[in-house]
Amino acid sequence: MTVPCPSPCNVLLLGTGGREHAIAWKLRQSPRLGTLWVEPSANAGLLALGRPCPEPISTREAFRLNRWCDREQIHLVVIGPEGPLAEGYADLLAEGERRVFGPSREASRLEWDKAFAKNLMRSASVPTAEGKSFTSLDAAIAYASVREEPCVVKASGLAAGKGVVVCETKEQAVEAVRDAMERKVFGDAGRTVVIEERLEGPELSVMALVDGRTIWVLDPCQDHKRVGEGDVGPNTGGMGAFCPVPAADDALLRIVERDVLVPIVDALRREEIEYRGVLYAGLMLTPGGPKVLEFNCRFGDPETQPLMTRLQGDLLEILWRTASGSLDEASITFDPRAAVATVVCAEGYPGATKTGDRIEGIDAAEACGGPGEQVVVFHAGTTTDPSAGPGTAVTRGGRVLTVTALAGDLRRARDLSREAASKIRFPGAFFRRDLAAKVLGETAPPAARPGSTRRRAERVRAAGAG
Ligand code: AMP
Ligand code: GLY
């Protein structure tokens, strides 16, 4: 029997970053939302939208957290990031009538164990790069050093989007294997590595809601993984994203649903694992059709930011229905406008960054745009400035803010997002100015304009390429 979404519905949202700020922003638009609780260590934007949960968010304290959820009558727990999924929060917090949006630990293995995901894809004939998994350093080195074609070396475990090295040469591949398995730069995540063929083509992020039976494919997004303009430099968690993607039409999405999403959910089911939550397929559109680079078991970051600004309807009800198995009755539509999110980063990202710098210009960024346009600044690596009081923000991470613009078409949304991002001020702030350039047919990044932001971007690019 379908259990309707309670009204009011109290929600605990786990996660502290930009994706979660966008989710919270959209949840706040729901007429059903009761109290929204967030983690005490949430960013400044999230803390402005929700009450900090007083209990420690720790699996060791799961008993206390559960009792607190009972006392506060939490109806729905929404898990944003992969960490808590891998730690099994979905299993720990689904008690009684309480629902959890996010797959179980077993189901989220698709993300936290790339070797497992690779095997499952193979068994379900899901198109993906040819590859092999290794737990032995010597075997991995032997394999990497005889491959003639360029390859990609991946830490099998969770590495905050940084555990993938796209290699040009055998020597680079061997170094990448040594980094992961011998020097342990990704910690335990690199105990197993996957070495796979290097694919070519544009990338696409397809996220779908899955309630165990029904799969609902959301509008596709495109991320920008490399730190530098022109797609150079090291991989990052994501430097900017847009939604929808002009080339990803319904026909392509039907192929992704038929060849990727349905077979993988079925393959899990054959192992008696039910998938509930959002399933993210990171794809490369190769001449031979779409192929899977990775699965994530959560909303993408920064893809969620443009996605949420376009989503129409009641996100709370949609998440509730996904968690309780009645997605077939949901109503999900998207604003016809395009959305582009520019990630404003702190100097040094994706390496170590300085923290504690005062952020200015958020109001000015949100004031950009004309009629029928909107800019929303989502916080990511920020925290409130204790000395300056509520409403202020200082930097606390590499990806600091996501400046998201909605406008009539992709080019205008990108220009608006870029203009708004340039209003953000803190020492060393930089961002990519060439988002969507490839799909818009812009061959070179736009000419440099004077200003510190641009110079920083170039410095990082040079560092990354070197
Ligand atoms: P992943 O975390 O597996 O999505 O990898 C991060 C990024 O590395 C992807 O978004 C791609 O840009 C790149 N990548 C991963 N796997 C491959 C592959 N097999 N061929 C080419 N690029 C890849
Ligand atoms: N933007 C890529 C990810 O969320 O993994």
Side-chain angles (χ1 to χ4, degrees):
M1 198 194 68
T2 307
V3 182
C5 180
S7 186
C9 180
N10 299 324
V11 176
L12 170 64
L13 172 60
L14 298 188
T16 61
R19 162 186 43 220
E20 288 77 25
H21 189 190
I23 291 172
W25 174 84
K26 194 65 198 170
L27 284 175
R28 285 292 295 250
Q29 295 171 19
S30 168
R32 290 182 175 81
L33 184 68
T35 306
L36 174 64
W37 296 89
V38 298
E39 291 198 38
S41 60
N43 65 42
L46 271 165
L47 284 171
L49 297 181
R51 288 176 66 179
C53 166
E55 293 296 321
I57 311 291
S58 143
T59 48
R60 272 192 249 133
E61 307 276 358
F63 179 79
R64 274 179 63 182
L65 190 56
N66 254 317
R67 295 292 71 81
W68 176 84
C69 286
D70 288 343
R71 275 201 310 281
E72 293 298 335
Q73 296 183 319
I74 302 295
H75 301 100
L76 179 69
V77 178
V78 178
I79 303 181
E82 61 276 21
L85 295 172
E87 288 178 87
Y89 276 91
D91 313 79
L92 290 169
L93 297 180
E95 259 197 21
E97 299 285 286
R98 195 186 313 130
R99 299 286 189 271
V100 178
F101 177 85
S104 65
R105 174 173 157 78
E106 257 193 322
S108 61
R109 190 165 179 195
L110 267 188
E111 174 164 3
W112 57 259
D113 183 352
K114 283 183 196 279
F116 166 82
K118 205 79 192 165
N119 286 338
L120 200 68
M121 282 189 263
R122 202 172 292 127
S123 75
S125 302
V126 169
T128 182
E130 279 307 315
K132 267 173 92 90
S133 311
F134 296 90
T135 49
S136 145
L137 172 69
D138 292 343
I141 289 179
Y143 184 77
S145 44
V146 296
R147 281 186 68 100
E148 287 307 326
E149 303 298 319
C151 70
V152 180
V153 177
K154 301 184 174 187
S156 181
L158 296 180
K162 297 174 194 165
V164 173
V165 185
V166 180
C167 306
E168 301 288 339
T169 64
K170 288 181 209 171
E171 291 71 29
Q172 267 180 2
V174 170
E175 275 312 290
V177 167
R178 285 195 188 282
D179 275 347
M181 299 185 93
E182 197 172 49
R183 299 179 198 114
K184 302 202 184 320
V185 297
F186 309 114
D188 278 352
R191 283 159 76 111
T192 301
V193 297
V194 176
I195 304 179
E196 66 182 30
E197 72 177 309
R198 180 169 158 184
L199 302 173
E200 299 291 342
E203 288 183 46
L204 189 68
S205 309
V206 176
M207 290 179 267
L209 297 168
V210 184
D211 74 351
R213 296 170 300 151
T214 303
I215 297 179
W216 195 305
V217 182
L218 303 173
D219 272 12
C221 304
Q222 197 174 104
D223 190 8
H224 298 71
K225 290 274 167 75
R226 302 294 192 95
V227 73
E229 290 175 5
D231 291 327
V232 297
N235 266 330
T236 66
M239 295 296 291
F242 59 90
C243 175
V245 180
D249 57 8
D250 283 351
L252 176 66
L253 293 182
R254 273 197 296 275
I255 293 174
V256 173
E257 185 173 7
R258 185 195 65 199
D259 295 350
V260 174
L261 300 170
V262 170
I264 211 75
V265 172
D266 281 347
L268 285 170
R269 199 182 290 132
R270 280 197 294 279
E271 312 235 333
E272 297 186 0
I273 301 171
E274 187 183 67
Y275 195 99
R276 282 191 185 193
V278 62
L279 178 57
Y280 166 132
L283 303 167
M284 197 161 257
L285 305 178
T286 74
K291 293 193 179 178
V292 177
L293 300 179
E294 64 164 348
F295 283 114
N296 294 321
C297 297
R298 42 144 185 103
F299 283 110
D301 191 346
E303 290 94 328
T304 305
Q305 290 86 316
L307 193 74
M308 288 299 151
T309 55
R310 293 190 59 240
L311 181 69
Q312 289 172 327
D314 184 341
L315 178 67
L316 180 52
E317 198 199 357
I318 293 167
L319 300 185
W320 175 270
R321 285 191 178 284
T322 308
S324 52
S326 57
L327 194 51
D328 52 342
E329 294 165 42
S331 155
I332 305 175
T333 54
F334 285 92
D335 191 313
R337 288 175 294 174
V340 176
T342 299
V343 178
V344 181
C345 300
E347 186 167 18
Y349 180 74
T353 56
K354 191 164 154 271
T355 58
D357 284 322
R358 183 84 174 269
I359 303 165
E360 279 162 7
I362 294 178
D363 290 346
E366 291 194 326
C368 291
E373 298 177 340
Q374 190 184 5
V375 174
V376 191
V377 176
F378 294 116
H379 289 238
T382 75
T383 188
T384 39
D385 180 350
S387 62
T392 59
V394 295
T395 60
R396 186 185 60 179
R399 294 194 290 174
V400 176
L401 298 168
T402 320
V403 180
T404 309
L406 260 181
D409 62 46
L410 182 59
R411 189 183 306 275
R412 175 62 196 147
R414 192 276 315 273
D415 290 351
L416 181 57
S417 171
R418 186 162 67 193
E419 177 197 335
S422 69
K423 308 282 182 206
I424 303 293
R425 298 271 171 239
F426 58 87
F430 76 95
F431 58 89
R432 276 184 65 167
R433 306 175 64 87
D434 67 338
L435 302 180
K438 280 188 183 150
V439 303
L440 290 170
E442 300 166 346
T443 45
R449 277 197 265 141
S452 65
T453 314
R454 173 71 184 172
R455 283 200 301 276
R456 301 284 177 192
E458 281 172 346
R459 247 166 61 191
V460 170
R461 182 164 57 165

